[in-house]
Amino acid sequence: MAGGEDTKPSASEKGKGKAPAEDGTAGANGHAEPQKDKDGKVIKDGKDSDKPAQEELSEEDQQLKGELEMLVERLQESNTDLYKPAIEAIKNLIKTSTSSVTAVPKPLKFLRPHYEQLEKTYESWPAGDNKTSLADMLSVLAMTSTSEDKPDLLKYRLLAPTDDLGQWGHEYTRHLALECMDEYHRRLVTETQDDAFEPVWDIARRLSSYFLKHNAEADAVDLLSDVEIIDEIEHMVDEDTYDRVCRYMVSMVPLLTYPDNDKALMSAHFIYKRFGKLSQAMSIAIRLNNMNQIKEDLLQTEDKALRRQMAFQIARQRIWLDLEDDEANDDETLVECLSNTHLSDHYKTLGKELNILDPKSTQDIYKTHLESSRTAGLTNVDSARHNLASAFVNAFVNAGFGNDKMMLGEEDTETGKSWVWKTKDDGMISAAASVGMLQQWDLDNGLQIIDRYSNVNDDNVKAGAMLAVGILNCGVREASEPAMALLSSPDVLNHKKKELRVTAIMGLGLAYAGTCKDDMLVTLLPYVSDTSLDMQISAMAALSLGMIFIGSANSDISEAILETFFDNDREKQLKDKWTRFMVLGLALLFFNKQDEVDIILDTLEAVQHPMSEPSSVLCSICAWAGTGTVLKLQDLLHICNEHIDDDASPSPPDGAAAAATDNATNNNNNTNTNTTSSGSTTDSVSPEQRRSKINVDEPGSSLLQSYAVIGLGLISMGEDIGQEMILRQFGHLMHYGEANIRRAVPLAMGLVSPSNPQMKVYDTLSRYSHDNDPDVAVNSIFAMGLLGAGTNNARLAQLLRQLASYYSRDANALFMVRIAQGLLHMGKGTLTVNPFHTDRSIMSRVAAAGLLTTLVALLEPKQFILGDSHYLLYFLATAMQPRMLVTLDEETLKPLQVNVRVGQAVDTVGQAGKPKTITGWQTQSTPVVLAYGERAELEDEKYMSLSSALEGLVILRKNPDWED
């Protein structure tokens, strides 16, 4: 067949419209092909189709448009009698028009081209009712006709004042609210007189009242907060709106800056008190850490049951209130509630209900039979080090239950049968101190058992007994004050054995943490100021005072600590490894004080010492702990991003190491990393070469960035979105950071979500636990324990068993694996170390301080925890708290068994109606254990809870309207 015939379409193709007509004018189905431009767009009548065609109006719309144009023309005429009816007619057409949610009302659409003409008309009219009425109409028309630079809507609203702002609908009020905010911020820059803001505030007040009446509580709060008169909402709310307003205000606090966040909380507190919701008001007073307000709220009501419930809330936060004698004598039970006296009894009630009172042995935790047969024998060696780890594990696992299989037997402590004698030297301190954790909160039985160890001739055992007394009293209070009697005597505090003095001071810090007890100031302050003492004793005294007076900004203590920085006798001691704990004591004084810490930061700037800069960072992160403040997080990331100059560091041992160091710097700049097959990140620089960049003679240079990393976790831990973002940043820091940064990252990851085993976090930590740097590996292992503390998480338990086999020949790593296993099974799965409670709205300062102290010690694990100061792990006792719900009878305060629904908490703030507050629930009878993120609610309305949140100890009152 000829080539020409191949290209000619067949008749059937022509018929089916698959081929163009021979003349090229018709295509498929015989229709002409449309013309197209070079971009393939269809051209109609020689013009691009992108240009909008003239919209065809319906007859009704054409009539409306004509009518509006006629009315606008009347406003241009000289006959003033026509003005008022014309304006009223236009207003009526706007108000009565109907449109879809997304469309502009047609009268506004048709009037838009006439807006500038109407503006000129307004300017030409004399003052009077007609001009005011026209301004009212122009204010509405400005919604569709102005740019952001021209706030005409507010301008004309101010020229036409009215009490009925809602007459133009919700969309108008929202536009007006936005322009109020913009105008207020503009006047902040341009105006200096207070009366310049009054017109904007007046509009904002009326708008807020309108919003509150129309179920737009969030809009009202946002507007008043933005124009900085949030306190005025206190008198606008009523019985129907106060609860939604307060919950929204409290939820937005993490997003506000200081002092706006405190103003919002104070307003919510006032509203709750005004409507008699004292339990909610108490929660906010605790959050503000306002002692006078807490005491006032407690004594405001004559309802004894409600008072006791608020006392439980105060005791949960480890705040100790000293009531007047007449107040205390009036209700002794109230004093017991404030002192947490029966916490141990309620905790053991929970254990009995869950059938976990029987003690667990370390073998029940280690489960060595599940380890590989090759290493099973190596991980269970009977050595002093292994026995010390077992003492810690036994203490954590059986904490608070008052029985175990190792320490609390009847054997004579002198004969060597006690487990204490299976450890050596400093190990005896921690082993003996574990008795305090086993008996935690149970003062009656605990003191008798500890007494057996305090009378032993060995000073190390006595030191452990002193620490045990402090741990035992941590979180509870007794009128006789046994901790003060036993630990603050001159014989103990001036003992010739340094360790005994240190543990006694630490015990006082644990026993009175958060109490702000003045007697402790008199007892411990001389040990801070005395320059002849060993730095370890002075540092521990400063740290204990920081724990006791946490968040109080006590000037006597801060001045005493700062004086040591300027003291010539102390100058050489400031390089001591214990100096960091003295600085931490100073930082804890300003915990959550935010901007109040500035005076301390200014003072530290004047200190000419390498420790001054890290000290400033540590004080700053404590001041902003749990706030989620983005600007502070950015500052800390900048510190982490700084590269320590090689000029200031010792030169590498040879040229090859120097080349490797330069190579590492280039890699950091080019963001290149190597990844092992197991997924762990390893840079081309060895840990030793990383450390060579840091001047070991200048301890501040490495601590500066380490504190910054810890601060990232501490500040962001209170805000969910901040947590997500900071966890991503930790990955970058591990890839490109120096050795000191990489050591701190796992600890910060554990601090972000303690007792909350998120899979993405512990999988990452599991990779880091195989890192080339042994310090990174050890800290990752501890962080895994902290992450799952008190949860019995099966996946974490499996990972830790695998690590025990992997590190069977590494004594330090194996020791830390055992500690992590003990933390994981803390309280047999009934305890938590998470500092947040009451629906995660309140951060326990004492708990956060205990966690932070432990992590600061772990920044150099071989110096402290893996060295001779492992007893610092007992600072975790301040964070340990039962994660239980125990319901109590109103009259007797005995446990009352009721059914509750336990499920995942749902954030319902700002949602319409009354949505469910939990999802995926199960019905259980109290007492119950609450996991992280879970919430409980009563199954029926037979009882009413006196607490705002069903957590911890909750008093129930019978509902008088309930009928069986």
Side-chain angles (χ1 to χ4, degrees), residues 938-944 957-963:
L938 295 171
E939 185 184 38
D940 51 41
E941 297 180 0
K942 182 177 181 180
Y943 291 96
M944 299 183 297
R957 171 175 288 167
K958 279 194 173 180
N959 187 350
D961 300 328
W962 176 261
E963 294 180 4

PDB file of all heavy atoms in Angstrom, residues 938-944 957-963:
ATOM      1  N   LEU A 938     -17.716  10.161  86.684  1.00  0.00           N
ATOM      2  CA  LEU A 938     -18.651   9.300  87.407  1.00  0.00           C
ATOM      3  C   LEU A 938     -19.668   8.697  86.438  1.00  0.00           C
ATOM      4  O   LEU A 938     -20.131   9.361  85.506  1.00  0.00           O
ATOM      5  CB  LEU A 938     -19.365  10.098  88.498  1.00  0.00           C
ATOM      6  CG  LEU A 938     -18.466  10.630  89.634  1.00  0.00           C
ATOM      7  CD1 LEU A 938     -19.250  11.582  90.525  1.00  0.00           C
ATOM      8  CD2 LEU A 938     -17.901   9.486  90.446  1.00  0.00           C
ATOM      9  N   GLU A 939     -20.009   7.435  86.706  1.00  0.00           N
ATOM     10  CA  GLU A 939     -20.914   6.734  85.789  1.00  0.00           C
ATOM     11  C   GLU A 939     -22.323   7.311  85.846  1.00  0.00           C
ATOM     12  O   GLU A 939     -23.014   7.404  84.835  1.00  0.00           O
ATOM     13  CB  GLU A 939     -20.934   5.246  86.138  1.00  0.00           C
ATOM     14  CG  GLU A 939     -21.762   4.417  85.167  1.00  0.00           C
ATOM     15  CD  GLU A 939     -21.848   2.959  85.580  1.00  0.00           C
ATOM     16  OE1 GLU A 939     -21.953   2.695  86.792  1.00  0.00           O
ATOM     17  OE2 GLU A 939     -21.798   2.084  84.701  1.00  0.00           O
ATOM     18  N   ASP A 940     -22.777   7.681  87.033  1.00  0.00           N
ATOM     19  CA  ASP A 940     -24.128   8.232  87.165  1.00  0.00           C
ATOM     20  C   ASP A 940     -24.077   9.460  88.070  1.00  0.00           C
ATOM     21  O   ASP A 940     -23.001   9.904  88.486  1.00  0.00           O
ATOM     22  CB  ASP A 940     -25.107   7.187  87.717  1.00  0.00           C
ATOM     23  CG  ASP A 940     -24.575   6.525  88.988  1.00  0.00           C
ATOM     24  OD1 ASP A 940     -23.995   7.250  89.826  1.00  0.00           O
ATOM     25  OD2 ASP A 940     -24.732   5.305  89.153  1.00  0.00           O
ATOM     26  N   GLU A 941     -25.234  10.003  88.383  1.00  0.00           N
ATOM     27  CA  GLU A 941     -25.306  11.231  89.156  1.00  0.00           C
ATOM     28  C   GLU A 941     -25.727  10.985  90.600  1.00  0.00           C
ATOM     29  O   GLU A 941     -26.205  11.888  91.286  1.00  0.00           O
ATOM     30  CB  GLU A 941     -26.270  12.210  88.482  1.00  0.00           C
ATOM     31  CG  GLU A 941     -25.817  12.647  87.098  1.00  0.00           C
ATOM     32  CD  GLU A 941     -26.785  13.606  86.434  1.00  0.00           C
ATOM     33  OE1 GLU A 941     -27.820  13.926  87.069  1.00  0.00           O
ATOM     34  OE2 GLU A 941     -26.516  14.030  85.302  1.00  0.00           O
ATOM     35  N   LYS A 942     -25.481   9.765  91.083  1.00  0.00           N
ATOM     36  CA  LYS A 942     -25.823   9.451  92.472  1.00  0.00           C
ATOM     37  C   LYS A 942     -24.957  10.269  93.429  1.00  0.00           C
ATOM     38  O   LYS A 942     -25.395  10.675  94.508  1.00  0.00           O
ATOM     39  CB  LYS A 942     -25.634   7.961  92.728  1.00  0.00           C
ATOM     40  CG  LYS A 942     -26.018   7.528  94.133  1.00  0.00           C
ATOM     41  CD  LYS A 942     -25.869   6.026  94.305  1.00  0.00           C
ATOM     42  CE  LYS A 942     -26.267   5.594  95.707  1.00  0.00           C
ATOM     43  NZ  LYS A 942     -26.121   4.133  95.898  1.00  0.00           N
ATOM     44  N   TYR A 943     -23.707  10.472  93.025  1.00  0.00           N
ATOM     45  CA  TYR A 943     -22.787  11.272  93.839  1.00  0.00           C
ATOM     46  C   TYR A 943     -22.301  12.463  93.016  1.00  0.00           C
ATOM     47  O   TYR A 943     -22.217  12.398  91.792  1.00  0.00           O
ATOM     48  CB  TYR A 943     -21.580  10.450  94.286  1.00  0.00           C
ATOM     49  CG  TYR A 943     -21.905   9.372  95.300  1.00  0.00           C
ATOM     50  CD1 TYR A 943     -22.142   8.058  94.890  1.00  0.00           C
ATOM     51  CD2 TYR A 943     -21.975   9.668  96.658  1.00  0.00           C
ATOM     52  CE1 TYR A 943     -22.439   7.073  95.808  1.00  0.00           C
ATOM     53  CE2 TYR A 943     -22.269   8.685  97.589  1.00  0.00           C
ATOM     54  CZ  TYR A 943     -22.506   7.387  97.168  1.00  0.00           C
ATOM     55  OH  TYR A 943     -22.791   6.411  98.071  1.00  0.00           O
ATOM     56  N   MET A 944     -21.940  13.520  93.714  1.00  0.00           N
ATOM     57  CA  MET A 944     -21.355  14.698  93.083  1.00  0.00           C
ATOM     58  C   MET A 944     -19.919  14.842  93.585  1.00  0.00           C
ATOM     59  O   MET A 944     -19.658  14.707  94.788  1.00  0.00           O
ATOM     60  CB  MET A 944     -22.151  15.961  93.428  1.00  0.00           C
ATOM     61  CG  MET A 944     -23.584  15.930  92.963  1.00  0.00           C
ATOM     62  SD  MET A 944     -24.445  17.499  93.324  1.00  0.00           S
ATOM     63  CE  MET A 944     -24.371  17.527  95.113  1.00  0.00           C
ATOM     64  N   ARG A 957     -20.052  13.665  97.359  1.00  0.00           N
ATOM     65  CA  ARG A 957     -21.215  14.055  98.156  1.00  0.00           C
ATOM     66  C   ARG A 957     -22.454  13.484  97.495  1.00  0.00           C
ATOM     67  O   ARG A 957     -22.585  13.511  96.262  1.00  0.00           O
ATOM     68  CB  ARG A 957     -21.297  15.572  98.230  1.00  0.00           C
ATOM     69  CG  ARG A 957     -22.565  16.109  98.840  1.00  0.00           C
ATOM     70  CD  ARG A 957     -22.481  17.626  98.979  1.00  0.00           C
ATOM     71  NE  ARG A 957     -21.557  17.987 100.050  1.00  0.00           N
ATOM     72  CZ  ARG A 957     -21.089  19.216 100.237  1.00  0.00           C
ATOM     73  NH1 ARG A 957     -21.443  20.195  99.413  1.00  0.00           N
ATOM     74  NH2 ARG A 957     -20.271  19.474 101.239  1.00  0.00           N
ATOM     75  N   LYS A 958     -23.368  12.945  98.316  1.00  0.00           N
ATOM     76  CA  LYS A 958     -24.595  12.372  97.766  1.00  0.00           C
ATOM     77  C   LYS A 958     -25.434  13.454  97.116  1.00  0.00           C
ATOM     78  O   LYS A 958     -25.590  14.558  97.647  1.00  0.00           O
ATOM     79  CB  LYS A 958     -25.399  11.684  98.867  1.00  0.00           C
ATOM     80  CG  LYS A 958     -24.908  10.280  99.191  1.00  0.00           C
ATOM     81  CD  LYS A 958     -25.917   9.520 100.033  1.00  0.00           C
ATOM     82  CE  LYS A 958     -25.478   8.072 100.202  1.00  0.00           C
ATOM     83  NZ  LYS A 958     -26.447   7.299 101.013  1.00  0.00           N
ATOM     84  N   ASN A 959     -25.964  13.118  95.952  1.00  0.00           N
ATOM     85  CA  ASN A 959     -26.822  14.053  95.228  1.00  0.00           C
ATOM     86  C   ASN A 959     -28.214  14.034  95.854  1.00  0.00           C
ATOM     87  O   ASN A 959     -28.893  12.997  95.845  1.00  0.00           O
ATOM     88  CB  ASN A 959     -26.884  13.628  93.757  1.00  0.00           C
ATOM     89  CG  ASN A 959     -27.624  14.635  92.901  1.00  0.00           C
ATOM     90  OD1 ASN A 959     -28.248  15.568  93.407  1.00  0.00           O
ATOM     91  ND2 ASN A 959     -27.562  14.457  91.592  1.00  0.00           N
ATOM     92  N   PRO A 960     -28.675  15.149  96.414  1.00  0.00           N
ATOM     93  CA  PRO A 960     -29.996  15.142  97.074  1.00  0.00           C
ATOM     94  C   PRO A 960     -31.151  14.892  96.110  1.00  0.00           C
ATOM     95  O   PRO A 960     -32.231  14.472  96.534  1.00  0.00           O
ATOM     96  CB  PRO A 960     -30.079  16.549  97.689  1.00  0.00           C
ATOM     97  CG  PRO A 960     -29.112  17.389  96.910  1.00  0.00           C
ATOM     98  CD  PRO A 960     -28.019  16.468  96.482  1.00  0.00           C
ATOM     99  N   ASP A 961     -30.939  15.130  94.824  1.00  0.00           N
ATOM    100  CA  ASP A 961     -32.021  14.947  93.840  1.00  0.00           C
ATOM    101  C   ASP A 961     -32.039  13.551  93.248  1.00  0.00           C
ATOM    102  O   ASP A 961     -32.873  13.248  92.396  1.00  0.00           O
ATOM    103  CB  ASP A 961     -31.863  15.968  92.706  1.00  0.00           C
ATOM    104  CG  ASP A 961     -31.931  17.397  93.213  1.00  0.00           C
ATOM    105  OD1 ASP A 961     -32.662  17.623  94.195  1.00  0.00           O
ATOM    106  OD2 ASP A 961     -31.247  18.275  92.638  1.00  0.00           O
ATOM    107  N   TRP A 962     -31.100  12.687  93.668  1.00  0.00           N
ATOM    108  CA  TRP A 962     -31.011  11.347  93.073  1.00  0.00           C
ATOM    109  C   TRP A 962     -32.077  10.427  93.662  1.00  0.00           C
ATOM    110  O   TRP A 962     -32.307  10.397  94.867  1.00  0.00           O
ATOM    111  CB  TRP A 962     -29.619  10.759  93.324  1.00  0.00           C
ATOM    112  CG  TRP A 962     -29.459   9.344  92.843  1.00  0.00           C
ATOM    113  CD1 TRP A 962     -29.538   8.207  93.590  1.00  0.00           C
ATOM    114  CD2 TRP A 962     -29.233   8.917  91.506  1.00  0.00           C
ATOM    115  NE1 TRP A 962     -29.347   7.107  92.804  1.00  0.00           N
ATOM    116  CE2 TRP A 962     -29.162   7.507  91.520  1.00  0.00           C
ATOM    117  CE3 TRP A 962     -29.080   9.595  90.293  1.00  0.00           C
ATOM    118  CZ2 TRP A 962     -28.928   6.765  90.367  1.00  0.00           C
ATOM    119  CZ3 TRP A 962     -28.855   8.840  89.143  1.00  0.00           C
ATOM    120  CH2 TRP A 962     -28.783   7.454  89.193  1.00  0.00           C
ATOM    121  N   GLU A 963     -32.726   9.691  92.780  1.00  0.00           N
ATOM    122  CA  GLU A 963     -33.723   8.715  93.223  1.00  0.00           C
ATOM    123  C   GLU A 963     -33.320   7.341  92.714  1.00  0.00           C
ATOM    124  O   GLU A 963     -33.076   7.161  91.523  1.00  0.00           O
ATOM    125  CB  GLU A 963     -35.108   9.077  92.670  1.00  0.00           C
ATOM    126  CG  GLU A 963     -35.655  10.386  93.226  1.00  0.00           C
ATOM    127  CD  GLU A 963     -37.028  10.699  92.657  1.00  0.00           C
ATOM    128  OE1 GLU A 963     -37.558   9.852  91.890  1.00  0.00           O
ATOM    129  OE2 GLU A 963     -37.563  11.765  92.977  1.00  0.00           O
TER     130      GLU A 963
END
